Amino acid sequence: MTIKKRIDLGNTTYFVEVEVEYKKKDNLLMLCLKNYKDDYYDGGDLSVLLEKLASKYSPEVLKKYNTGIFFLDDALYLYDNIPFLSGIYDFYQNEKDNIPHSTGYISVSELDEIISRNNIKMM
């Protein structure tokens, strides 16, 4: 199952994507992170983390990544702070009709490749 949660960084809306699955633990069915070593998942905790990242967001924190590509710097910021993501979507809304004008997506495998090829320092 895929969960997407919204985060606004500056004037841009993103949706972070997290892969989860149901697992039986101590005879209880629980929603857990898929493909991540620490599989604990709590949607409320993720929401709090996203709020914290949005409040700390600034051009200064993006200097660490310095790719020269706005979307990529934001994606690296999110991935650096939420390592269990599976992907990141960006959405641009048409102000006139309030509907999506365009969307973009980058997967974690693409981010990992960019980080490796360009020697980007992550936490």
Side-chain angles (χ1 to χ4, degrees), residues 3 5 18 20 31-33 38-44 46 84:
I3 293 177
K5 288 207 174 241
V18 178
V20 293
L31 191 58
C32 301
L33 293 172
D38 179 9
D39 66 355
Y40 171 80
Y41 176 78
D42 183 296
L46 180 55
F84 53 86

Side-chain angles (χ1 to χ4, degrees), residues 65 67 72 76 110-121:
Y65 311 107
T67 66
L72 186 55
L76 289 167
E110 290 174 287
L111 287 172
D112 285 338
E113 184 178 321
I114 291 166
I115 290 164
S116 177
R117 277 193 322 215
N118 296 287
N119 297 317
I120 297 171
K121 302 291 181 221

Side-chain angles (χ1 to χ4, degrees), residues 43-107:
D45 287 350
L46 180 55
S47 294
V48 169
L49 177 58
L50 292 173
E51 288 173 14
K52 181 179 172 183
L53 292 175
S55 71
K56 289 184 173 186
Y57 178 80
S58 72
E60 195 63 33
V61 299
L62 297 181
K63 286 182 181 179
K64 172 181 180 180
Y65 311 107
N66 199 29
T67 66
I69 302 167
F70 183 75
F71 172 67
L72 186 55
D73 286 344
D74 283 354
L76 289 167
Y77 171 67
L78 291 169
Y79 184 39
D80 204 10
N81 289 280
I82 312 171
F84 53 86
L85 294 179
S86 57
I88 300 163
Y89 292 85
D90 69 338
F91 284 86
Y92 293 96
Q93 294 221 217
N94 182 328
E95 290 181 20
K96 181 181 173 191
D97 338 41
N98 202 26
I99 59 171
H101 179 68
S102 67
T103 64
Y105 176 79
I106 191 164
S107 69

